[in-house]
Amino acid sequence: MAIVVTLDVMLATRKVKSRDLAEYVGITVANVSLLKQGKVKGVRFDTLERICEFLDCQPGDVLKYVKD
Amino acid sequence: MIEAAAGGVSREQRISALCAGGCAVAAVGVPVCVAALWAFGSWEVLALARLIPPDIRPDMEMGGGVRTWQRVTGAAICLVPALLLSYGLLRARRSLTAFVRGDFFGADVVGGLRGYAGAMFWAAVASVVSVPVLSVAISFANPPGHKELSLDLSGAQVLNLLGAAILWVIASAMARASSIARENEQFV
């Protein structure tokens, strides 16, 4: 996959639980888990915005482009 | 969907529940009525119920009452469009019960609507074809000069065919919408 989700790293760095992030963003814990595993087709801008707001980071901190 | 999730029931869902009930009743009732009319009805009753073309009634009454083989043949021919209609109504019921559950774009809805449209189309075709077949079959034993070949193509039948085709197109559009909805579900 060219786009790698590094949300799990950010959560660990910020010492934040998935449940708290899910609650703040307004998505289910199951969806956070899928997002961490990169098993989603896309991320809505408003979801990304809430994630960045909660983790105080940039979109590039949770998404990385890796050349195949 | 949001209203359903919140525990409320929308107007569409209430109407869908009523229509689903109506579909179930009609799906069972129509073939039963057709079979019952052919089992017990006189030529007059069958003509009134439009199960035989009214214009062939005088010739049929010349031969006396409805004979058993005529009842069996008539029921067999008339049950074809009736059963197609029943199948269509059951498929429509599937869509309507999905609406009641708050599922407006699921596979059940699209499959049900397509099935309903297809069954309505073939029921309309069968009802057009069944008239000449029925008239020839039940008047087969009539004396020469009183054998019948009746054709009937009314505006309502043509409209039924058109309606079924339009519904099929709408169902196909909904299939696309359903696929977009499924894709959107994979976005967080």
Side-chain angles (χ1 to χ4, degrees), chain B residues 98-130:
Chain B
F99 289 156
V100 175
R101 288 197 307 270
D103 176 8
F104 293 99
F105 291 108
D108 271 358
V109 173
V110 175
L113 276 180
R114 271 188 171 169
Y116 173 68
M120 287 301 106
F121 180 84
W122 289 114
V125 170
S127 71
V128 171
V129 172
S130 69

Side-chain angles (χ1 to χ4, degrees), chain B:
Chain B
M1 195 157 184
I2 292 164
E3 283 176 85
V9 178
S10 70
R11 193 178 59 175
E12 290 82 6
Q13 286 170 305
R14 279 197 301 273
I15 294 170
S16 297
L18 273 173
C19 291
C23 282
V25 171
V28 176
V30 169
V32 168
C33 284
V34 169
L37 282 166
W38 272 108
F40 306 110
S42 61
W43 288 124
E44 186 187 357
V45 171
L46 291 170
L48 277 173
R50 306 279 301 177
L51 286 176
I52 60 165
D55 53 315
I56 72 166
R57 186 184 142 201
D59 275 340
M60 299 313 299
E61 282 175 336
M62 273 178 57
V66 190
R67 293 182 207 139
T68 308
W69 69 267
Q70 287 172 319
R71 290 191 186 280
V72 173
T73 309
I77 294 168
C78 288
L79 275 174
V80 174
L83 289 173
L84 283 167
L85 181 75
S86 286
Y87 173 74
L89 287 169
L90 290 175
R91 295 302 302 266
R93 185 175 175 271
R94 199 172 141 191
S95 293
L96 291 164
T97 46
F99 289 156
V100 175
R101 288 197 307 270
D103 176 8
F104 293 99
F105 291 108
D108 271 358
V109 173
V110 175
L113 276 180
R114 271 188 171 169
Y116 173 68
M120 287 301 106
F121 180 84
W122 289 114
V125 170
S127 71
V128 171
V129 172
S130 69
V131 173
V133 173
L134 179 73
S135 61
V136 168
I138 61 173
S139 66
F140 183 71
N142 282 6
H146 296 284
K147 293 182 193 296
E148 300 284 349
L149 172 60
S150 183
L151 297 171
D152 181 23
L153 184 64
S154 66
Q157 285 167 324
V158 174
L159 281 177
N160 274 350
L161 289 171
L162 183 66
I166 290 169
L167 193 60
W168 193 88
V169 172
I170 291 171
S172 298
M174 280 190 73
R176 283 197 178 193
S178 167
S179 116
I180 292 168
R182 271 200 303 276
E183 194 178 320
N184 277 342
E185 277 170 12
Q186 293 176 47
F187 278 65
V188 293

Side-chain angles (χ1 to χ4, degrees), chain A residues 38-54:
Chain A
K39 288 184 179 172
V40 292
K41 269 203 168 180
V43 186
R44 293 190 182 92
F45 279 142
D46 56 349
T47 305
L48 191 58
E49 188 184 323
R50 297 285 284 172
I51 290 171
C52 291
E53 202 173 274
F54 188 69

Side-chain angles (χ1 to χ4, degrees), chain A:
Chain A
M1 186 196 288
I3 300 291
V4 177
V5 181
T6 54
L7 182 62
D8 50 348
V9 178
M10 279 305 292
L11 287 173
T13 309
R14 298 284 196 266
K15 293 188 173 74
V16 169
K17 285 179 186 167
S18 295
R19 188 161 46 84
D20 296 331
L21 176 70
E23 201 174 305
Y24 184 84
V25 176
I27 59 175
T28 62
V29 179
N31 273 343
V32 172
S33 174
L34 289 172
L35 183 56
K36 281 180 358 188
Q37 295 169 61
K39 288 184 179 172
V40 292
K41 269 203 168 180
V43 186
R44 293 190 182 92
F45 279 142
D46 56 349
T47 305
L48 191 58
E49 188 184 323
R50 297 285 284 172
I51 290 171
C52 291
E53 202 173 274
F54 188 69
L55 298 175
D56 190 24
C57 65
Q58 292 298 313
D61 295 329
V62 290
L63 299 171
K64 294 266 184 292
Y65 172 69
V66 178
K67 222 168 193 175
D68 285 329

